[in-house]
Amino acid sequence: MAPSHDAETQGITRRKSLAAIAGAGALAIAGCTETEGGDGGSGDDGSSGDDGSSGDDGSSGDDGSSDGSLSGSINIAGSSTVFPLMSAVAEDFAADNPDVSIDISSTGSGGGFANFFCVGETDFNNASRPIKEEEEELCAENGVEYIELVAATDALTVVVNNEADWIDSLTTDELAMIWESDAVETWDEVRDEFPNEEIDRFGAADTSGTYDYFIEAILGESGHTSDYQATEQDNTIAQGVAGSEYAIGYFGFSYYFQNPDELKALGIDDGDGPVEPSLETAANGEYTPLSRPLFTYPSIESLGEEHIAEFARYFVEQTTNEDLVAGDVGYVPATDEIQEEQMQILEDGIEQAQG
C-alpha cells in the first residue's frame, strides 16, 4: 500500500515536504537493496548511471530482482511545474517497489527536451506545455519516439508581495503591459492609482514551459521582457517577490498552494471581472486564460523495460487521485474519462515497445 496522504512524516506534512523538494529542484529516490553483489538499479549516490539513461547504465538487465519484484532505474527531467506531482507519485511507487531508483530533475520543459530527453538520456520528460515542433524534430533526429500523457490541470499564478495592499487584481491587458518586451517601468504606468515605484519582476526562464505558456496566453506577438530575474526554480521567484513590496512574479499554482502565506495571489480579469486562482476556478474554466494542462512524455523505448512501464501505469492511475493531486500537490486531477483515454494511449505505447 502507498502511504496515506493525510499522514505526517517525521512531523512534516506531505505538502511541506513537497514544497521543500520543489525548492531543491531535484529528487533521487534510491531503492533499499540488500542483495549482496547486486546494485538493485541504483548507483552509489542513489541516482542512476552516468548519463541518465536507462537500461545499460545501472538498471537491471531483466527489470526484476531474484524474487521477481521490479528493479532498475528511472530517469526523469523537465518542467518545474510538473516536478512536485511527479515527485509525489515517485515517492509512493518507490515505497511499494524499493528496488527501483527514481531520479527527477527540474530543468524546465524546454531544457529537459533539448538536453536530456530528445538526445536519449532520460526516460520521461515533464512539460507544462505541449512539445514544440523543433523538439519533435530533435527527438526524431535521435530516434527518440514518445507518447504524450496528460498529468493534471494547473492554474498559472501571478503573485505580489504581501505588503502590497494597493493591488488585488490585474486585467490581462495590464498584465501584458508589465511583462511584454517593451514593458512599462513603474506601477503607476499600469494604473493611475498604483504607486510611482519601479516594478521588480521575477519569472520563469526561457527554457521553461511556464514561460512559453505565459507568452501564448498573455503576451502573444509582443514577446516577453528581458528586464526581469529569470529562474527555473519557483522558490527563487517567491523569495524575490517576498523581498520587495513592488515586485511581481508568476509560476505554477502548486508552489502557491503549498506556501499560501508567503505571497499574495492576484485575481486575473479576462473581461468578466477578477478571478483568483484556485483548484475550483481552474477546474470549472473560470480562471482564464491561465489555466492549462500539464504533461509527461515517456520514451517508447524506455517503456520496453517492465519497471518503467509499471511506473508509467502507476502515474496514470494516480492522475485521478484527488488526495494526492489536489490535496498534496495543488493541481486539478484528471477526470475518469481523461484517465481512461491516457491509459489506452499508454498501453498502446507499451505494446509497441514490448511487442
Side-chain angles (χ1 to χ4, degrees):
M1 291 284 292
S4 169
H5 295 289
D6 57 7
E8 293 194 356
T9 304
Q10 295 179 349
I12 304 175
T13 64
R14 181 70 178 275
R15 191 183 300 176
K16 290 185 180 296
S17 173
L18 288 171
I21 291 168
L27 176 66
I29 305 171
C32 302
T33 307
E34 296 178 359
T35 307
E36 240 183 290
D39 61 8
S42 65
D44 292 343
D45 61 353
S47 63
S48 58
D50 298 345
D51 64 357
S53 65
S54 61
D56 57 0
D57 62 344
S59 65
S60 62
D62 59 3
D63 299 317
S65 63
S66 58
D67 64 359
S69 62
L70 297 173
S71 67
S73 62
I74 305 174
N75 293 278
I76 304 168
S79 168
S80 62
T81 304
V82 184
F83 179 84
L85 175 59
M86 185 62 80
S87 298
V89 173
E91 285 183 345
D92 288 355
F93 183 83
D96 284 342
N97 298 277
D99 291 339
V100 176
S101 322
I102 307 175
D103 188 283
I104 311 172
S105 297
S106 173
T107 63
S109 303
F113 280 125
N115 300 321
F116 299 97
F117 185 75
C118 289
V119 293
E121 293 193 0
T122 48
D123 303 304
F124 292 75
N125 197 70
N126 299 326
S128 55
R129 45 77 174 165
I131 189 171
K132 294 181 177 181
E133 183 177 352
E134 59 265 32
E135 294 161 346
E136 293 177 332
E137 292 172 355
L138 180 61
C139 281
E141 287 171 9
N142 290 290
V144 175
E145 297 182 273
Y146 55 83
I147 56 174
E148 178 185 270
L149 299 174
V150 175
T153 299
D154 177 33
L156 195 154
T157 302
V158 180
V159 292
V160 295
N161 187 281
N162 274 334
E163 300 301 317
D165 56 4
W166 41 270
I167 183 171
D168 293 306
S169 66
L170 289 168
T171 68
T172 52
D173 287 343
E174 290 171 335
L175 195 56
M177 292 171 64
I178 294 169
W179 288 99
E180 63 192 2
S181 56
D182 187 21
V184 297
E185 296 183 359
T186 60
W187 279 104
D188 60 341
E189 295 178 79
V190 178
R191 198 182 296 176
D192 289 342
E193 61 263 33
F194 287 171
N196 180 19
E197 297 286 349
E198 186 174 345
I199 301 171
D200 294 326
R201 302 176 184 86
F202 298 84
D206 61 7
T207 52
S208 168
T210 299
Y211 172 95
D212 294 329
Y213 187 80
F214 194 74
I215 291 176
E216 177 185 338
I218 298 296
L219 303 176
E221 295 181 0
S222 63
H224 195 292
T225 182
S226 59
D227 182 19
Y228 77 111
Q229 296 296 313
T231 177
E232 286 292 355
Q233 303 306 322
D234 293 347
N235 66 317
T236 303
I237 296 172
Q239 288 167 5
V241 175
S244 169
E245 182 180 346
Y246 304 105
I248 188 169
Y250 65 87
F251 44 46
F253 182 71
S254 177
Y255 187 91
Y256 176 74
F257 179 80
Q258 293 161 7
N259 303 275
D261 299 327
E262 286 188 15
L263 303 164
K264 179 197 290 189
L266 296 181
I268 302 300
D269 186 349
D270 193 28
D272 294 319
V275 177
E276 293 185 1
S278 69
L279 297 176
E280 292 73 24
T281 58
N284 64 23
E286 292 180 7
Y287 188 65
T288 59
L290 293 180
S291 58
R292 56 175 176 166
L294 303 175
F295 306 93
T296 192
Y297 290 79
S299 156
I300 287 178
E301 181 179 359
S302 295
L303 292 174
E305 300 185 57
E306 192 59 32
H307 68 289
I308 297 177
E310 285 303 313
F311 174 74
R313 290 184 177 112
Y314 184 79
F315 182 87
V316 173
E317 289 169 0
Q318 295 306 304
T319 59
T320 55
N321 183 337
E322 188 170 340
D323 287 342
L324 186 152
V325 180
D328 290 342
V329 182
Y331 292 140
V332 178
T335 63
D336 290 340
E337 181 180 3
I338 290 175
Q339 184 198 55
E340 184 177 342
E341 292 171 355
Q342 300 309 298
M343 190 64 80
Q344 186 59 59
I345 292 170
L346 174 60
E347 292 297 344
D348 289 345
I350 293 172
E351 183 177 356
Q352 179 181 342
Q354 298 184 0

